[in-house]
């Protein structure tokens, strides 16, 4: 084929696609009118055919750690709800609580994540609560839920043991260091202990032999899933060989623990011993009491590790960052913690330290660990608001529509939070104001609300309390503001640079 004929063919294909897009837009308008809907403000694309410009801007913002800033600018420009193109398909961006309520609750059956995630992530983490909708999701959720019962997450002795290892190693002579790195090491050990029954040895620098290279493989596999989702149809440009090897290595690591759990299942359940011993009340052992399917257990445990990666660690690090940069808040919280005395730090005791809970809640408001989320319309549906000239008419969302929301923007909306929405002010939670479930969504909402919410907040409470018992001053050594580095979760791209003054 000559260059001229090739160009002619490409031009003909483009013309057909444009004609199809015109037809599609007309059909969408007719359907919207039939449902009494009006369009929302339209993003001003430089590429009006595929909308690749918004994809390029988003990619550039992610690499520069300005992803949340870019989202905020879009909402500042177009309002609470606007429409755009996503690789030539329809997309709706919204932080309006009524729309969030519809997508996450009242019309949740119309929206899902499986079309977006399963085909992109299945080679890495299989079929589970992160990748599926409907009966498959319900089955996965039911399998995981017992592992997060209070009886399985209320023992802080393992956390204290590993925290003590960390405290014995970090600088306590007033020198500057990045505490975030240490907290992430702590939580790699804590997460693998909770999931598999064995820490990976990050703090002790003594990982088990079968863990060699696992963390790198897991991160490569995890990142590969994110890249494939972000690139959409362009994911075919990504090489697959290295990614599939990383997936296989991750599976090999998880299978070691799955086989142990299945061995426990055969010995203990067959003998009808009853409840698992305390040392075996890990998430994987809890699931093994319900199923002996090896693939199901591996898929669920890999997905659980994906959900746990950098979540509680990010929250703990950010809480300490804001305490270090707000000395009056630090002083008030430490005084309240010291007033508790040396009593046991259990669930009830930690929950009763009101200002501590206010500090954690305010941190989740301004710096949510999960700052952004997507859904896909599984069928033609309607969002309740955002359309028309006054922005109050319903919006039509045809099947396949991408719904994109940003909790970080929602949590800074001055119409909800007042003129001081950008300020870190824990005392705001003492007043009579209580946001609705769809105005404050740090752990999502509805049926898919994060199962580990209580585990994360209570462990954060415990670590922050212990840090303030151990140190009379945690001083910030960084003038830079908190800057979001966003993957599945968000953490401070600048770390948590501090110096510590011991209490004794």
């Amino acid at each position: 084929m000559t260059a001229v004929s090739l160009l002619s063919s490409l031009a003909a294909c483009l013309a057909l696609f444009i004609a199809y897009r015109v037809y599609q837009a007309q059909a969408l308008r007719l359907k919207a009118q039939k449902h009494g809907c009006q369009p929302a403000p339209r993003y001003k694309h430089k590429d009006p055919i595929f909308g690749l410009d918004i994809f390029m801007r988003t990619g550039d913002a992610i690499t520069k750690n300005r992803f949340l800033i870019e989202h905020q600018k879009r909402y500042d420009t177009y309002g609470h709800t606007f429409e755009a193109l996503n690789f030539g398909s329809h997309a709706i961006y919204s932080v309006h609580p009524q729309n969030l309520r519809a997508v996450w609750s009242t019309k949740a059956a119309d929206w899902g994540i499986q079309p977006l995630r399963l085909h992109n992530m299945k080679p890495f983490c299989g079929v589970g609560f992160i990748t599926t909708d409907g009966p498959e999701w319900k089955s996965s959720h039911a399998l995981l839920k017992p592992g997060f019962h209070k009886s399985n997450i209320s023992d802080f002795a393992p956390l204290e043991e590993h925290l003590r290892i960390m405290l014995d190693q970090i600088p306590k002579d007033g020198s500057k260091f990045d505490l975030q790195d240490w907290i992430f090491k702590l939580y790699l050990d804590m997460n693998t202990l909770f999931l598999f029954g064995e820490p990976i040895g990050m703090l002790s620098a003594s990982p088990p032999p079968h863990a060699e290279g696992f963390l790198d493989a897991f991160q490569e596999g995890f990142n590969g899933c994110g890249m494939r989702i972000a690139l959409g149809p362009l994911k075919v440009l990504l090489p697959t060989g290295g990614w599939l090897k990383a997936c296989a290595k991750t599976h090999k690591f998880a299978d070691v623990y799955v086989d142990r759990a299945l061995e426990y299942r055969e010995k203990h359940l067959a003998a009808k011993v009853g409840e698992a011993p305390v040392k075996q009340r890990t998430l994987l052992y809890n699931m093994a009491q319900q199923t002996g399917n090896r693939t199901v257990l591996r898929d669920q445990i890999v997905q659980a590790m994906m959900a746990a990666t950098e979540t509680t660690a990010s929250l703990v690090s950010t809480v300490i960052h804001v305490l270090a940069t707000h000395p009056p808040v630090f002083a008030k919280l430490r005084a309240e913690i010291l007033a508790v005395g040396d009593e046991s730090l259990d669930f009830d005791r930690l929950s009763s330290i009101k200002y501590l809970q206010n500090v954690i809640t305010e941190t989740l408001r301004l710096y949510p660990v999960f700052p952004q989320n997507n859904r896909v319309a599984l069928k033609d549906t309607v969002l309740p608001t955002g359309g028309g000239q006054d922005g109050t008419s319903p919006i039509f969302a045809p099947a396949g529509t991408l719904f994109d929301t940003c909790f970080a923007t929602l949590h800074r909306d001055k119409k909800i939070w007042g003129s001081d929405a950008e300020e870190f002010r824990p005392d705001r939670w003492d007043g009579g104001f209580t946001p609705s479930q769809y105005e404050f969504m740090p752990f999502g909402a509805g049926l898919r609300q994060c199962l580990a919410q209580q585990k994360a907040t209570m462990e954060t409470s415990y670590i922050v309390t212990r840090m303030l018992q151990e140190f009379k001053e945690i001083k910030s050594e960084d003038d830079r503001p908190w800057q979001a580095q966003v993957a599945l979760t968000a953490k401070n791209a600048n770390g948590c640079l501090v110096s510590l003054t011991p209490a004794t």
Side-chain angles (χ1 to χ4, degrees):
M1 181 181 289
T2 66
V4 173
S5 60
L6 178 61
L7 289 173
S8 297
S9 298
L10 290 174
C13 289
L14 182 60
L16 285 172
F17 183 80
I18 292 173
Y20 170 72
R21 290 288 295 123
V22 171
Y23 166 78
Q24 193 178 44
Q26 290 175 340
L28 177 60
R29 281 194 292 270
L30 290 173
K31 283 187 175 182
Q33 290 172 5
K34 182 179 178 181
H35 287 82
C37 298
Q38 295 291 326
R42 191 79 172 175
Y43 182 87
K44 295 181 180 178
H45 284 286
K46 293 181 180 179
D47 169 15
I49 299 173
F50 299 100
L52 291 179
D53 54 313
I54 197 170
F55 166 75
M56 297 299 291
R57 283 185 66 91
T58 300
D60 182 62
I62 290 173
T63 59
K64 295 177 179 177
N65 296 321
R66 295 180 60 83
F67 178 72
L68 299 184
I69 295 173
E70 175 66 23
H71 268 266
Q72 184 68 58
K73 285 183 176 179
R74 292 174 191 171
Y75 287 109
D76 288 344
T77 302
Y78 298 103
H80 285 77
T81 304
F82 62 95
E83 299 181 64
L85 290 173
N86 176 57
F87 294 106
S89 298
H90 189 224
I92 297 174
Y93 291 75
S94 182
V95 291
H96 199 294
Q98 289 184 38
N99 289 338
L100 296 176
R101 184 190 302 274
V103 174
W104 264 260
S105 182
T106 57
K107 291 191 174 184
D110 295 355
W111 298 88
I113 49 87
Q114 186 165 320
L116 188 65
R117 296 180 184 174
L118 184 58
H119 63 288
N120 289 309
M121 301 172 69
K122 189 174 181 179
F124 179 62
C125 61
V127 177
F129 70 102
I130 286 180
T131 54
T132 58
D133 301 317
E136 293 88 353
W137 174 82
K138 289 181 180 179
S139 176
S140 298
H141 186 268
L143 197 60
L144 287 161
K145 190 174 181 179
F148 290 94
H149 188 272
K150 186 177 178 180
S151 62
N152 291 315
I153 61 175
S154 58
D155 181 10
F156 293 126
L159 179 55
E160 174 63 28
E161 178 185 346
H162 287 80
L163 179 61
R164 192 72 259 167
I165 297 172
M166 186 193 85
L167 292 174
D168 288 343
Q169 296 183 67
I170 60 176
K172 294 179 282 291
D173 59 357
S175 58
K176 179 175 73 173
F177 73 104
D178 188 354
L179 182 59
Q180 181 170 271
D181 287 345
W182 284 98
I183 293 172
F184 275 52
K185 288 180 183 179
L186 167 67
Y187 260 89
L188 278 169
D189 278 354
M190 290 306 303
N191 286 334
T192 49
L193 178 63
F194 173 70
L195 297 173
F196 305 120
E198 179 179 74
I200 202 170
M202 293 301 295
L203 290 172
S204 63
S206 58
H210 60 269
E212 183 179 354
F214 161 68
L215 286 178
D216 290 338
F218 179 82
Q219 200 61 54
E220 183 178 351
F222 194 176
N223 292 344
C225 292
M227 287 293 293
R228 281 159 176 77
I229 292 173
L231 287 173
L234 299 180
K235 69 179 181 182
V236 295
L237 302 177
L238 290 173
T240 60
W243 184 60
L244 292 176
K245 286 182 180 178
C247 295
K249 190 167 186 63
T250 300
H251 297 169
K252 185 177 180 181
F253 172 85
D255 284 342
V256 171
Y257 298 102
V258 169
D259 289 343
R260 291 180 189 176
L262 290 175
E263 183 180 353
Y264 153 76
R265 174 185 172 87
E266 291 179 7
K267 289 181 179 179
H268 292 268
L269 294 190
K272 298 182 180 179
V273 170
E275 189 177 6
V278 172
K279 67 179 182 179
Q280 292 176 334
R281 288 181 192 169
T282 67
L283 188 64
L284 180 54
Y285 275 75
N286 270 283
M287 290 192 293
Q289 292 183 77
Q290 302 173 68
T291 180
N293 187 308
R294 193 168 186 265
T295 301
V296 168
L297 289 174
R298 185 183 68 198
D299 288 351
Q300 302 305 326
I301 208 68
V302 172
Q303 292 202 16
M305 189 163 185
M306 292 174 70
T309 297
E310 300 189 355
T311 49
T312 306
S314 296
L315 177 56
V316 172
S317 177
T318 300
V319 170
I320 294 176
H321 166 81
V322 296
L323 289 173
T325 53
H326 295 77
V329 176
F330 177 94
K332 180 176 178 179
L333 177 57
R334 187 164 191 267
E336 187 170 326
I337 285 172
L338 294 181
V340 173
D342 297 327
E343 298 180 49
S344 175
L345 294 177
D346 56 20
F347 259 52
D348 294 336
R349 177 63 58 183
L350 290 168
S351 298
S352 70
I353 307 176
K354 188 175 181 181
Y355 195 62
L356 171 63
Q357 301 309 317
N358 288 353
V359 166
I360 294 171
T361 304
E362 182 72 344
T363 302
L364 285 167
R365 182 184 72 84
L366 280 176
Y367 312 105
V369 175
F370 299 101
Q372 183 260 356
N373 212 318
N374 296 331
R375 291 288 188 271
V376 175
L378 303 176
K379 59 183 179 181
D380 289 357
T381 188
V382 173
L383 293 174
T385 192
Q389 292 185 347
D390 60 359
T392 61
S393 297
I395 305 172
F396 181 65
T401 295
L402 176 72
F403 181 88
D404 187 300
T405 191
C406 184
F407 302 135
T409 297
L410 173 71
H411 294 174
R412 293 170 183 251
D413 187 345
K414 292 181 180 179
K415 291 182 179 179
I416 299 172
W417 304 96
S419 59
D420 64 350
E422 298 283 346
E423 297 178 19
F424 181 79
R425 190 171 65 82
D427 289 328
R428 78 172 70 245
W429 298 94
D430 281 333
F433 169 70
T434 302
S436 76
Q437 188 178 11
Y438 301 95
E439 293 173 330
F440 181 58
M441 297 178 64
F443 294 99
L447 292 176
R448 298 188 85 123
Q449 187 167 351
C450 178
L451 279 172
Q453 175 177 348
Q454 190 178 40
K455 180 177 184 292
T457 53
M458 286 297 100
E459 289 182 355
T460 299
S461 300
Y462 185 89
I463 294 173
V464 171
T465 296
R466 290 288 293 111
M467 290 293 290
L468 269 61
Q469 288 176 336
E470 293 281 330
F471 303 103
K472 65 182 179 182
E473 183 180 19
I474 300 178
K475 181 182 178 183
S476 174
E477 298 290 349
D478 192 353
D479 293 332
R480 296 170 296 178
W482 193 91
Q483 186 177 21
Q485 181 180 338
V486 179
L488 176 67
T489 58
K491 64 181 179 182
N492 190 352
N494 300 324
C496 182
L497 300 177
V498 297
S499 59
L500 304 176
T501 304
T504 56

